[in-house]
Amino acid sequence: MADDEEARALAGDGGGPRKMGPAVARSGAGDERAETIPVRILNEYVYCPRLAYLEWVQGEWADNADTEEGRLRHRAVDAGGGRLEAPEPEGLLEGVGQVRSVHLSAPAFGITTRIDLVEVEDGAVVPIDYKRGRVPDIPDGAWPPERVQVCAQGLVLRANGYRSDHGFLYFVESKRRVRVDFDEALVAATHEAIEGARRLPVEEIPPPLVDSPKCPRCSLVGICLPDEVQASRGADGEPRLLVPARDDALPLYVQMHGQRVGVRGEEIVVAGGGEKHAVRMLDTSQICLFGNVQVSAPAVKTLCERDIAVAWFSQGGWFYGLTRGMATKNVHLRIAQHRVAAQPERALLLARTFIRSKIRNARTLLRRNHPDPDRALDALKAQARAAERAASLPTLLGVEGTAARDYFAIFDGMLKQDEVGGDFKLDGRNRRPPTDPLNALLSFAYALLTKDWTLTLYAVGFDPFVGFLHQPRHGRPALALDLMEEFRPIIADSVVVTAVNNRVVRPEHFVRCGPAVNLNKAGRAAFIKAYERRMDELVTHPVFGYRISYRRVLEVQARLLGRHLEGELDAYPAFETR
């Protein structure tokens, strides 16, 4: 069997393993209900055990073009119709034509299924499973995962008293059926797949496939990270770029006082203040609201269903929190996160990595933008080494504080003072409230970055409030603050330098209230555009060598941290630019 042909036939198959999201079915009664495995997971297990583990054990799911197409192809059979009568004593049926979307379980085998179509043929029942795509040009007319899936449906029918000796796979593009006989070899392979899938919850995550043609069109490839995991383990070869370099969906910012956000069909509608505009939900990754902006209850419900988070900011840009749905079910990752956070030695190792990388990235930013950075570069280099050797968290925090003082002491030297005037001077870092325009820009940039890291961590399955460097505190997303450390210089600080030097923000974009300085509406809008341009900018990943956007980098780094916490990687591969 050729792997590439199998990949084309199966990857993203809407009629098979990837047509629905994660699901858990249960059978039995009382306190002894046993978890049963959906038959589609058997398809996944034969295709790729790691994929089955991610979907079944960790509850991961992601759509792509293939899964969306498969869902559309399945509308007719998913609608249901008719009723499957109880079998006669001999397991036969009479007088029944077709029954669609039949849901049955076989507790004895520990599996459950929803069969696309059941037909009666000479009194026996025949399961028919729909597949998007064409009939593969191979001897059996179908790949092993598909054959196991329809055979398992036959076993479920048998367990419910029906006679079932064969089934069909219907390939939508070819408009053709392929017969699958339930012979001894296929039944044995199906039982083997059932046993293997049932062992997944008590085993370690299966290793990723190596340079497999199955990976590129798998909808979970951005979660699995097969090549990245192999590269982080020291495997030879360049990792493939298996996910888009940029996200198609982008944030929507709403900051006009009194505006209202609602939904209309597949659109998000923003109205108020004499303005009204709409954007497609498909093109929206998150909604960021500043000040007194309202959201209708139906809109909140729909956005939660569509996994579009709503981020709440004060009018001045303070990040308050999120409204989001329950998209992630990966409790195993959160258990691993809490376990490591409770081990001071392991938590310190991660904290060292975050601070070392932050200091090194700060050196890179100074080296690229400061005309005379030498007096700080040597000090920062020594502090990065000290961070690697810090024997305790207080010692590490002391190193970080010293490095920050040296860094911000010459920060405004990266600004073109002759062109921007004397309004952007930094006399030390201050906040709550910031007392000068440059500190106001830094605080706002950090708020935006905190928001993006919090959203990323939720999407991956982490608890953003349990960190390794930043200790738990009410209302503080400690892990988001941990992971943003290495990105503060190269995203937030870099945006501030660029926005000031290019006069994207100017002195008239700030307002003063007592000692506090904040951006006005026009200044916030201009800076948000600069920040989003940076997040959309392509950068070469220092570990994997391919180019992806900074927004995509955040997700990759979060998932790599998860792989480390769950024991798949020995260390977290930090992001350090050169």
Side-chain angles (χ1 to χ4, degrees):
M1 181 197 314
D3 272 356
D4 57 341
E5 292 295 333
E6 184 180 356
R8 283 195 289 271
L10 289 178
D13 195 324
R18 301 163 186 77
K19 69 180 179 183
M20 302 292 292
V24 174
R26 294 185 178 273
S27 62
D31 295 331
E32 296 182 356
R33 291 184 302 174
E35 195 169 62
T36 54
I37 302 174
V39 162
R40 66 175 182 81
I41 294 297
L42 304 183
N43 184 315
E44 309 283 31
Y45 180 80
V46 177
Y47 183 72
C48 172
R50 185 179 177 88
L51 175 61
Y53 184 96
L54 290 172
E55 286 195 14
W56 175 238
V57 179
Q58 296 192 344
E60 300 283 9
W61 179 252
D63 273 314
N64 64 7
D66 289 330
T67 64
E68 292 286 358
E69 180 186 349
R71 190 174 287 112
L72 290 173
R73 301 273 193 180
H74 250 66
R75 284 181 300 180
V77 292
D78 286 345
R83 187 169 71 89
L84 190 63
E85 300 290 344
E88 298 295 330
E90 298 82 10
L92 302 178
L93 282 179
E94 298 293 341
V96 179
Q98 294 183 338
V99 183
R100 299 179 185 277
S101 195
V102 177
H103 193 181
L104 292 171
S105 293
F109 298 141
I111 56 177
T112 186
T113 186
R114 186 173 68 171
I115 306 173
D116 293 338
L117 184 66
V118 174
E119 289 184 349
V120 176
E121 185 179 291
D122 297 328
V125 290
V126 180
I128 302 170
D129 197 43
Y130 276 52
K131 301 292 178 186
R132 61 169 292 279
R134 297 182 175 276
V135 176
D137 185 17
I138 56 177
D140 290 326
W143 299 108
E146 300 168 306
R147 289 166 51 78
V148 164
Q149 183 173 5
V150 74
C151 180
Q153 293 174 348
L155 294 181
V156 172
L157 288 166
R158 290 181 185 179
N160 282 271
Y162 300 96
R163 197 184 81 189
S164 185
D165 302 317
H166 68 276
F168 287 102
L169 295 162
Y170 177 70
F171 290 88
V172 176
E173 284 191 37
S174 299
K175 296 182 179 179
R176 178 180 147 199
R177 291 183 177 186
V178 172
R179 178 176 171 127
V180 178
D181 290 309
F182 304 153
D183 55 34
E184 290 184 7
L186 181 56
V187 169
T190 303
H191 281 296
E192 183 179 346
I194 293 172
E195 290 304 312
R198 289 182 66 82
R199 288 194 301 269
L200 285 175
V202 297
E203 295 180 342
E204 294 182 355
I205 182 171
L209 302 178
V210 179
D211 197 27
S212 172
K214 297 180 182 180
C215 297
R217 291 191 57 187
C218 176
S219 64
L220 264 62
V221 68
I223 297 171
C224 173
L225 299 179
D227 288 22
E228 289 83 352
V229 169
Q230 295 287 0
S232 299
R233 289 173 165 177
D236 295 332
E238 289 290 327
R240 298 167 295 176
L241 181 56
L242 298 175
V243 295
R246 289 188 173 97
D247 293 309
D248 293 329
L250 298 172
L252 169 65
Y253 290 86
V254 184
Q255 61 164 332
M256 183 179 291
H257 178 79
Q259 284 190 312
R260 183 178 178 85
V261 178
V263 294
R264 180 184 62 203
E266 290 295 305
E267 292 183 325
I268 299 168
V269 180
V270 181
E275 298 180 4
K276 185 174 183 179
H277 62 274
V279 295
R280 296 194 307 168
M281 278 189 273
L282 186 65
D283 297 331
T284 307
S285 62
Q286 57 182 262
I287 303 177
C288 302
L289 309 180
F290 290 81
N292 294 321
V293 177
Q294 300 181 51
V295 185
S296 69
V300 171
K301 177 177 178 292
T302 301
L303 293 170
C304 286
E305 290 174 347
R306 300 293 290 269
D307 194 26
I308 300 174
V310 180
W312 304 87
F313 292 84
S314 70
Q315 193 67 45
W318 181 259
F319 175 44
Y320 280 123
L322 297 169
T323 300
R324 61 186 302 278
M326 298 177 65
T328 179
K329 303 176 180 66
N330 190 355
V331 67
H332 300 276
L333 176 58
R334 293 193 291 279
I335 290 172
Q337 175 191 355
H338 283 252
R339 183 187 301 118
V340 173
Q343 300 174 30
E345 297 83 2
R346 292 194 64 186
L348 179 60
L349 287 174
L350 283 167
R352 287 173 180 168
T353 301
F354 300 147
I355 295 302
R356 180 205 67 204
S357 300
K358 174 187 179 181
I359 296 172
R360 288 180 176 175
N361 285 336
R363 290 185 76 249
T364 298
L365 186 68
L366 288 174
R367 193 170 60 248
R368 289 176 178 175
N369 296 279
H370 201 289
D372 185 23
D374 292 344
R375 62 191 177 98
L377 293 184
D378 289 343
L380 291 175
K381 184 176 182 179
Q383 288 148 10
R385 290 173 177 166
E388 291 181 316
R389 300 190 302 266
S392 67
L393 196 57
T395 301
L396 180 63
L397 292 173
V399 172
E400 190 272 340
T402 301
R405 183 194 62 204
D406 293 342
Y407 170 67
F408 283 115
I410 66 167
F411 183 89
D412 56 12
M414 292 187 283
L415 307 180
K416 301 174 182 177
Q417 297 291 354
D418 293 341
E419 299 178 23
V420 303
D423 293 278
F424 295 99
K425 289 287 187 179
L426 192 70
D427 185 18
R429 179 79 177 101
N430 59 72
R431 57 196 179 99
R432 297 184 184 178
T435 58
D436 60 78
L438 205 49
N439 270 297
L441 288 174
L442 289 168
S443 293
F444 188 43
Y446 296 153
L448 293 175
L449 188 55
T450 302
K451 174 263 299 181
D452 280 331
W453 263 116
T454 304
L455 283 169
T456 300
L457 292 171
Y458 270 127
V460 171
F462 281 103
D463 179 350
F465 293 89
V466 177
F468 308 104
L469 169 66
H470 294 83
Q471 296 304 291
R473 182 192 299 172
H474 175 75
R476 180 170 74 172
L479 187 60
L481 297 175
D482 281 3
L483 281 164
M484 70 180 277
E485 289 293 350
E486 57 191 312
F487 292 93
R488 285 178 187 260
I490 55 178
I491 292 182
D493 298 353
S494 177
V495 172
V496 170
V497 171
T498 302
V500 172
N501 284 341
N502 292 342
R503 297 187 61 78
V504 172
V505 289
R506 300 181 296 278
E508 60 266 27
H509 284 145
F510 296 87
V511 294
R512 292 184 178 271
C513 183
V517 175
N518 274 311
L519 285 159
N520 60 21
K521 177 187 171 184
R524 273 197 312 275
F527 189 79
I528 286 170
K529 289 180 180 178
Y531 175 83
E532 288 300 327
R533 281 195 297 270
R534 183 62 169 174
M535 294 299 287
D536 199 45
E537 184 179 321
L538 296 183
V539 60
T540 300
H541 197 287
V543 179
F544 309 126
Y546 51 54
R547 289 175 62 78
I548 53 176
S549 70
Y550 272 110
R551 191 178 303 282
R552 185 74 75 184
V553 166
L554 301 193
E555 181 182 353
V556 169
Q557 293 302 115
R559 294 199 181 279
L560 290 173
L561 176 63
R563 297 285 174 244
H564 167 61
L565 296 180
E566 292 185 297
E568 195 168 17
L569 298 180
D570 292 335
Y572 164 69
F575 189 94
E576 298 179 3
T577 58
R578 300 181 177 88

